[in-house]
């Protein structure tokens, strides 16, 4: 008997996505909706994830053993879901060219102009670089920007907390200065920016051991006026560098969030690879040359980068959906 397993068939079937999402108030945000609940407790706009790469399957029981003695172990789950609209967006293949953005200042400006109309999820290969590109837009009912700021200052203190976020893929997280990160007398930016996270995780089958260098979005080229005009108050943007090449940008990551009547709305963008515009990053002098050499050393060709873009979109969809589901409860228990 011959089995035909297509790469993109990673998710189980689900009822059709509920309609009725509409803009709310003056901002182009998504209005709240009350999805029906399917048998088994799965809401009609969610589908269960039924496929994980082999390394992630092997990682889950290891993480389970580490988390089970923690007081927050009840938030660790094997049953992960994804929004049907994001699944459908990825099933359509790479993004059309009009939604593929370069990691330039102009590209970020276009992101701020066009994010309400961009697909909720997507991936692409960018020849100019070369680069893998992934994007998403999430809405988290019952979640606020304050909760996300708490999460980004709470979870790096213990790796087991990081495992809650993606139980199959997250392995380790620590922070350069945990005392500063935990100091609630400082502002969010004072605690997180310039205080790198050392993160180990799987992106699909690829093990990424890296530092996330968080900073204000303005320092990556996002226009402060555009942030204010669109109501974005949460930020967890950064440059990711491999642990073996700490000064070589590998990923430009943008995470921006704003409170809406439907809950926190977040837009995420990832550029993985190299680009001439990386010389603008003041904290990474020679970033374009260093990233170009890193891409050569890692042998990141078009095939690898396009697959990495797809895996990054799946990873983002999975981890943020998981986090959004338990964040209100864990915040009330440990953060409020």
């Amino acid at each position: 008997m011959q089995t035909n397993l297509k790469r993109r068939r990673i998710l189980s079937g689900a009822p059709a996505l509920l309609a009725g999402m509409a803009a709310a108030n003056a901002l182009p945000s998504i209005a709240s909706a009350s999805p029906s609940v399917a048998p088994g407790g799965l809401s009609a706009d969610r589908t269960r994830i039924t496929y994980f790469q082999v390394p992630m399957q092997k990682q889950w029981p290891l993480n389970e053993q580490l988390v089970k003695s923690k007081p927050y172990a009840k938030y660790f789950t094997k049953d992960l879901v994804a929004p049907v609209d994001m699944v459908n967006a990825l099933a359509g293949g790479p993004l059309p060219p009009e939604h593929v953005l370069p990691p330039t200042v102009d590209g970020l400006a276009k992101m701020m102009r066009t994010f309400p109309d961009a697909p909720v999820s997507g991936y692409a290969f960018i020849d100019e670089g070369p680069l893998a590109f992934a994007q998403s837009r999430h809405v988290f009912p019952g979640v606020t920007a304050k909760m996300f700021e708490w999460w980004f200052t709470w979870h790096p203190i213990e790796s087991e907390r990081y495992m809650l976020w993606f139980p199959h893929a997250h392995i380790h997280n620590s922070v350069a200065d945990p005392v500063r990160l935990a100091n609630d007398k400082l502002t969010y930016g004072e605690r997180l920016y310039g205080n790198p996270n050392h993160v180990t995780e799987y992106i699909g089958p690829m093990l990424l051991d890296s530092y996330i260098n968080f900073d204000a979005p303005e320092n990556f080229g996002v226009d402060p006026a555009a942030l204010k005009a669109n109501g974005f108050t949460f930020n967890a943007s950064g440059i990711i560098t491999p642990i073996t090449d700490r000064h070589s940008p590998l990923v430009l990551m943008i995470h921006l969030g704003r409170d809406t009547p439907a809950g926190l709305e977040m837009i995420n963008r990832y550029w993985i690879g190299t680009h001439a515009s990386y010389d603008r990053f003041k904290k990474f002098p020679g970033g374009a040359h260093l990233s170009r050499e890193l891409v050569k050393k890692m042998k990141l060709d078009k095939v690898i980068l396009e697959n990495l873009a797809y895996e990054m979109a799946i990873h983002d969809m999975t981890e943020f959906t998981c986090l959004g589901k338990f964040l209100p409860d864990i915040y009330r228990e440990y953060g409020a």
Side-chain angles (χ1 to χ4, degrees):
M1 182 175 63
Q2 185 178 10
T3 301
N4 181 20
L5 178 62
K6 294 183 179 179
R7 177 169 65 92
R8 293 192 178 95
R9 290 199 56 161
I10 62 165
L11 303 167
S12 62
L17 176 67
L18 293 181
M21 292 286 192
N25 66 39
L27 298 177
S29 59
I30 300 174
S32 59
S34 299
S36 61
V37 177
L42 195 65
S43 63
D45 63 346
R46 296 289 187 268
T47 181
R48 194 174 307 283
I49 297 176
T50 59
Y51 176 79
F52 297 96
Q53 298 279 1
V54 170
M56 292 196 287
Q57 293 181 39
K58 293 180 178 180
Q59 189 63 44
W60 191 89
L62 300 178
N63 287 355
E64 182 187 31
Q65 288 299 311
L66 291 169
V67 172
K68 70 179 184 179
S69 63
K70 297 295 182 178
Y72 44 78
K74 64 186 176 183
Y75 298 107
F76 187 84
T77 180
K78 199 172 188 177
D79 296 324
L80 301 182
V81 300
V84 174
D85 58 347
M86 299 185 85
V87 173
N88 290 340
L90 292 177
L95 287 162
E98 62 268 24
H99 293 301
V100 179
L101 304 176
T104 59
V105 172
D106 286 344
L108 294 172
K110 184 177 179 180
M111 174 191 74
M112 296 304 296
R113 293 194 306 270
T114 62
F115 74 86
D117 301 316
V120 292
S121 190
Y123 71 98
F125 171 77
I126 300 177
D127 283 305
E128 183 188 357
L131 288 162
F133 175 67
Q135 69 162 52
S136 67
R137 186 173 76 251
H138 298 265
V139 176
F140 306 103
V143 175
T144 65
K146 184 178 180 181
M147 292 179 189
F148 258 96
E149 289 190 350
W150 170 81
W151 174 255
F152 274 85
T153 56
W154 182 79
H155 84 264
I157 302 299
E158 290 185 330
S159 289
E160 290 83 358
R161 300 177 184 180
Y162 184 57
M163 294 171 190
L164 303 178
W165 193 354
F166 194 158
H168 298 73
H170 288 179
I171 300 171
H172 169 85
N173 194 3
S174 58
V175 63
D177 188 346
V179 174
R180 171 152 67 99
L181 190 70
N183 186 353
D184 60 10
K185 292 183 172 56
L186 301 176
T187 66
Y188 172 73
E190 289 169 341
R191 297 165 73 176
L192 187 67
Y193 303 163
N195 197 3
N197 282 205
H198 174 202
V199 170
T200 308
E201 63 182 332
Y202 283 108
I203 307 296
M206 179 182 178
L207 182 64
L208 184 65
D209 193 13
S210 62
Y211 287 99
I212 304 178
N213 303 274
F214 293 104
D215 207 343
E218 297 90 334
N219 290 334
F220 302 123
V222 181
D223 183 4
L227 293 171
K228 184 176 181 179
N230 287 283
F232 284 101
T233 60
F234 170 76
N235 170 63
S237 303
I239 289 177
I240 301 176
T241 64
I243 192 170
T244 55
D245 295 86
R246 292 199 61 176
H247 302 291
S248 302
L250 178 63
V251 183
L252 171 60
M253 176 181 73
I254 300 294
H255 292 326
L256 301 173
R258 62 182 184 172
D259 291 315
T260 77
L264 187 89
E265 181 182 9
M266 175 176 282
I267 60 171
N268 297 337
R269 302 289 185 273
Y270 308 85
W271 291 270
I272 308 169
T274 183
H275 197 269
S277 66
Y278 286 0
D279 277 337
R280 76 179 186 272
F281 303 137
K282 294 180 180 179
K283 295 182 180 179
F284 293 89
H289 170 74
L290 292 173
S291 64
R292 186 165 56 249
E293 292 303 309
L294 179 61
V295 165
K296 291 179 182 177
K297 183 170 72 172
M298 296 178 69
K299 299 180 180 179
L300 299 178
D301 60 16
K302 179 178 180 178
V303 172
I304 293 174
L305 284 170
E306 187 171 34
N307 276 279
L308 186 55
Y310 175 75
E311 294 289 357
M312 187 68 247
I314 293 293
H315 186 99
D316 172 280
M317 175 181 70
T318 306
E319 69 175 353
F320 277 99
T321 303
C322 178
L323 176 60
K325 186 177 179 181
F326 70 77
L327 184 54
D329 291 333
I330 199 171
Y331 174 77
R332 281 189 289 269
E333 187 170 355
Y334 294 99

